[in-house]
Amino acid sequence: REEITQVIFDGTRTPAHDFTSPVIDGYSESVPGSEVLDYNPDEAKAKWAEADAISPWDGEFKIAYNADGGHQEWVDAVANSIKNVLGIEASGDPYPTFAEVRTAVTDRTIQTAFRTGWQADYPGLFNFLGPIYGTNAGSNDGDYSSKEFDQLLKQGSAASSTDEANEYFQKAQEILFKDLPAIPLWYSSVQGGYSEAVDNVAIDWHSVPLYFQITKSE
């Protein structure tokens, strides 16, 4: 993550530490279990050997992506990392358009790993967890289901304060780090610019300038 976000994205991405976003209240870089996101090739090789002893790997690991979205470079980098560390064949699997790869995901006809992304509809931890990983949720592309995870989401949603809710949602993330229904890679960073003719320029949690705050410079 560190190398890819710096070399390929020129620092316009930030390595992920969780399943939510650093601009959301309650975000934490130290959710128990999140160390699985640290680059550790020795541990990866050891875990892969354990898994291979249970069910021997055969074939090529592929990552599907839409070729019309500028994803080839980072997908190739991720595939090469997997190939070099685990010693297996790995490569990107391009679909011509976003619509085509999404159709394969939605129809559950896709047979490989695949890239996806998410931007919240409102600034709450739940909106990164419930719609994507809740049982039968609309954007649960991997059909992940955990009764314990669902219960924590329910408790968080019924909490009497944001702080209390976030405690439940972070406990829910602990379950995700054990089950890993998806692999968080990085957060996008917004880029913007403004002239000296204006002041009080700021960008909000979902990457939109707060136009109503902007003032003309003296």
Side-chain angles (χ1 to χ4, degrees):
R1 290 171 180 78
E2 291 286 353
E3 184 175 0
I4 290 174
T5 53
Q6 289 300 318
V7 175
I8 294 179
F9 291 113
D10 294 319
T12 61
R13 304 289 189 276
T14 304
H17 296 282
D18 80 328
F19 287 85
T20 66
S21 167
V23 300
I24 303 301
D25 181 60
Y27 166 81
S28 172
E29 291 190 3
S30 56
V31 177
S34 61
E35 63 275 5
V36 298
L37 301 183
D38 296 336
Y39 180 62
N40 188 333
D42 292 335
E43 183 71 6
K45 291 175 184 177
K47 291 298 184 184
W48 183 258
E50 290 181 30
D52 208 40
I54 297 171
S55 179
W57 171 262
D58 182 36
E60 183 175 9
F61 183 82
K62 292 188 174 184
I63 304 171
Y65 66 95
N66 51 302
D68 61 354
H71 299 291
Q72 180 179 353
E73 194 172 5
W74 75 256
V75 170
D76 286 348
V78 171
N80 285 333
S81 178
I82 293 171
K83 182 177 180 179
N84 293 335
V85 171
L86 300 183
I88 64 173
E89 290 300 314
S91 65
D93 186 19
Y95 285 63
T97 65
F98 178 74
E100 288 174 272
V101 71
R102 286 306 307 172
T103 296
V105 171
T106 302
D107 292 346
R108 303 303 193 259
T109 59
I110 198 163
Q111 298 296 309
T112 67
F114 55 90
R115 68 149 293 270
T116 188
W118 184 260
Q119 183 168 340
D121 299 304
Y122 59 87
L125 294 181
F126 178 90
N127 199 234
F128 285 88
L129 304 175
I132 308 176
Y133 306 111
T135 300
N136 297 321
S139 297
N140 188 343
D141 292 333
D143 296 324
Y144 174 71
S145 181
S146 164
K147 291 182 179 179
E148 187 180 2
F149 177 81
D150 291 341
Q151 179 61 27
L152 287 167
L153 291 186
K154 184 177 180 180
Q155 289 175 283
S157 298
S160 58
S161 69
T162 300
D163 289 343
E164 182 186 1
N166 287 341
E167 289 181 11
Y168 285 112
F169 296 146
Q170 296 298 33
K171 288 184 181 297
Q173 284 210 81
E174 293 181 35
I175 297 173
L176 294 183
F177 280 123
K178 292 178 182 178
D179 295 343
L180 285 179
I183 310 297
L185 293 176
W186 40 73
Y187 316 112
S188 294
S189 300
V190 64
Q191 294 85 52
Y194 62 94
S195 78
E196 294 181 353
V198 294
D199 290 321
N200 300 315
V201 178
I203 296 175
D204 71 5
W205 63 273
H206 64 330
S207 305
V208 176
L210 296 171
Y211 294 108
F212 65 93
Q213 292 185 2
I214 298 175
T215 57
K216 187 176 181 179
S217 299
E218 295 294 335

